[in-house]
Structure formats: structure tokens, C-alpha cells
Amino acid sequence: MCGNNMSAPLPAIVPAARKATAAVIFLHGLGDTGHGWSEALAGIRSPHVKYICPHAPVMPVTLNMNMAMPSWFDIVGLSPDSQEDEVGIKQAAENVKALIDQEVKNGIPSNRIILGGFSQGGALSLYTALTTHQKLAGVVALSCWLPLRTSFVQGAVGVNKEIPVLQCHGDCDPLVPLMFGSLTVEKLKTMINPANITFRTYSGMMHSSCIE
């Protein structure tokens, strides 16, 4: 990775207790690392599943006064009409697709790989699933939104039209309001099979996760 200032440390991995026949790739939120989520997933893991929690590269984030922090792409603002980092989002999605390819090379078929994430990581997991040519097992999107939503035309999703999506959101989220989650669900229903979308809200939960 020499010469590439976007390089990030190797992902935090929770290996399968037995032989890995499936994988979960889970993307953390802005300013975080994969370590916390790898610990959380280790507590609820299934024996045949390998859990991969990559770390985002460190970059200046416009929203946070250009402070450098782990971020999958730049965030300019958190309102529905904020400008988006299209180049950064697309590049980040390519990096996730490369991770999926690596697991396929390791012997886990892509339709046994679930993509998931929290906040910015959840946003990236949704975007990646809708733009990849790899058939995935599902998406877990926590407290997030769909980036570049206007770039998707109705029904223009490739191999993942039938993908199961579990979307979860706290009803007291002050950072990514519940409305973002609701609007994202409505948008997803125009693109993939609505019967495969599950949207759960959690009473009193802010921009975080809970045991449920």
C-alpha cells in the first residue's frame, strides 16, 4: 500500500468458531474504528460466520471543521439537500467491493456475505449493495441514510433486487433523524422488493445501538 495515503490498518476480524462458510462485513460510523463493532459482534456471533470490521481511512471531514478522523467519505452537512462527496462515496464503495471479492477468493460465495454498518458505515453498505454486481445475502443498515439517492432511478438495481434489508433507527436520534431512515425505506421500496425490507425503530434510542 506504499504511496497510498488512503491506506488504513487491516480490518478487525472475529474468526468463525468453526469453518467459515459465511461472512459479515460491518462498517463503523464517522470517527470510530472497527474494534468496537468487532467486540459487539463477537458477543453474538454464529459459529460458521466470520466477521470483518474494516477501519476507515483518516481524512479531513468538512462537517467537523475539516478535522481529520476516520471517515469512509467526506460529509459536508447532515440536511437532506446537503452537497455530497460523490467521488469519495463511489471510491469507498469500490473498496468495500474489493473486500467482498477477497472473501470470495477465500472461498465464501458472495451470496453468503452480509454487508452492514452503522451511520456513515450503514449509508455506505446500502449504497454498495445497490451498485455492486456481486449478489449479496443481505444488508443491515443501522441509523443511516442512502447516499446519492437521486442517482438511483426506479428499478435500476442490478443483481440485488431481491436482497433482504434490515434497517434500524432510534426514534430520538439527534444526528441522523428518524425521518432520514423513513425516507430511505420509502426510496428503497421503489428499487428492491418491498417485501424484503424490514424497518425497526427503537423507543428512546439516540444515535447509538442497543442490545435488541
Side-chain angles (χ1 to χ4, degrees):
M1 298 285 274
C2 203
N4 174 6
N5 62 2
M6 295 295 282
S7 66
L10 289 170
I13 290 178
V14 182
R18 302 189 199 134
K19 178 175 165 43
T21 60
V24 172
I25 298 172
F26 196 92
L27 309 173
H28 64 73
L30 179 68
D32 199 2
T33 69
H35 293 301
W37 285 102
S38 67
E39 286 168 22
L41 293 166
I44 55 169
R45 66 177 166 167
S46 301
H48 298 289
V49 182
K50 173 185 182 183
Y51 298 86
I52 302 152
C53 298
H55 310 295
V58 173
M59 64 174 76
V61 175
T62 305
L63 178 70
N64 289 346
M65 299 180 297
N66 280 332
M67 272 170 48
M69 62 188 62
S71 185
W72 300 108
F73 48 85
D74 190 23
I75 297 183
V76 179
L78 283 179
S79 67
D81 53 358
S82 293
Q83 184 189 338
E84 292 186 276
D85 174 18
E86 183 172 352
V87 173
I89 292 164
K90 288 180 173 173
Q91 181 55 57
E94 290 307 316
N95 295 345
V96 177
K97 291 170 195 175
L99 271 178
I100 297 167
D101 282 340
Q102 187 56 53
E103 289 314 302
V104 172
K105 285 196 186 100
N106 291 342
I108 296 175
S110 68
N111 65 355
R112 298 271 300 155
I113 296 174
I114 284 179
L115 205 49
F118 173 78
S119 193
Q120 188 194 35
L124 179 55
S125 67
L126 276 178
Y127 181 82
T128 304
L130 296 173
T131 56
T132 184
H133 300 302
Q134 302 145 318
K135 191 162 173 56
L136 298 171
V139 180
V140 180
L142 309 182
S143 308
C144 67
W145 68 97
L146 176 62
L148 305 179
R149 66 191 184 284
T150 55
S151 67
F152 292 101
V153 291
Q154 187 160 351
V157 176
V159 296
N160 287 315
K161 273 195 177 67
E162 293 294 325
I163 194 168
V165 175
L166 171 61
Q167 218 185 311
C168 303
H169 220 108
D171 65 2
C172 294
D173 192 329
L175 280 179
V176 181
L178 178 60
M179 186 187 84
F180 280 34
S182 306
L183 290 171
T184 296
V185 168
E186 293 314 309
K187 178 73 177 177
L188 288 176
K189 282 178 180 171
T190 69
M191 298 160 63
I192 60 177
N193 185 346
N196 292 343
I197 300 171
T198 304
F199 185 46
R200 294 203 178 129
T201 58
Y202 296 82
S203 176
M205 191 173 81
M206 299 178 71
H207 193 64
S208 61
S209 59
C210 60
I211 296 297
E212 291 84 6

